[in-house]
Each structure stands twice: as C-alpha cells, then as structure tokens.
Amino acid sequence: MLHLMDAGSLEAEDLVEIIGSSEAVVEVINDRLEISKKQAEALGRFFHVDPGLFLFN
C-alpha cells in the first residue's frame, strides 16, 4: 500500500475514510492490523487495483 500511496502523493490522512480512523491507518501501514475484506474492496476501488492485493489470507 505504501507504494500506491507514494505514487499518488497520498498521506495516511487520505485513507481515514476508507480504513476508519487515523489510528487504524497507521496500524495497517505498519503491518500491525490486518485489512478487512470490506476495507480491501474500498481500497481497490480507491486505488483502481484488484482488492486481493490488500488481502494476505
């Protein structure tokens, strides 16, 4: 996700609406919180990529 954020010149705050809170965004970025299927789908739409890119299971 960091690569996509860098490519789009995005900050963590830009993902708060998708992930749910600024704390959760930081946790996701630092690999301390897993992205839910619903969040992956929203991120896929936001970044115009396959949602599976964000799911690890």
Side-chain angles (χ1 to χ4, degrees):
M1 184 164 50
L2 289 176
H3 176 72
L4 293 170
M5 290 174 65
D6 287 342
S9 299
L10 299 171
E11 300 293 329
E13 298 83 34
D14 298 316
L15 302 179
V16 170
E17 269 189 53
I18 298 168
I19 303 292
S21 71
S22 57
E23 294 83 8
V25 172
V26 170
E27 294 292 309
V28 166
I29 289 172
N30 291 317
D31 292 325
R32 294 189 299 245
L33 181 66
E34 192 171 310
I35 295 171
S36 71
K37 184 177 178 182
K38 183 177 178 179
Q39 290 168 329
E41 290 170 353
L43 286 166
R45 285 190 299 275
F46 182 79
F47 286 113
H48 306 286
V49 298
D50 187 314
L53 179 67
F54 303 103
L55 298 173
F56 300 105
N57 291 336

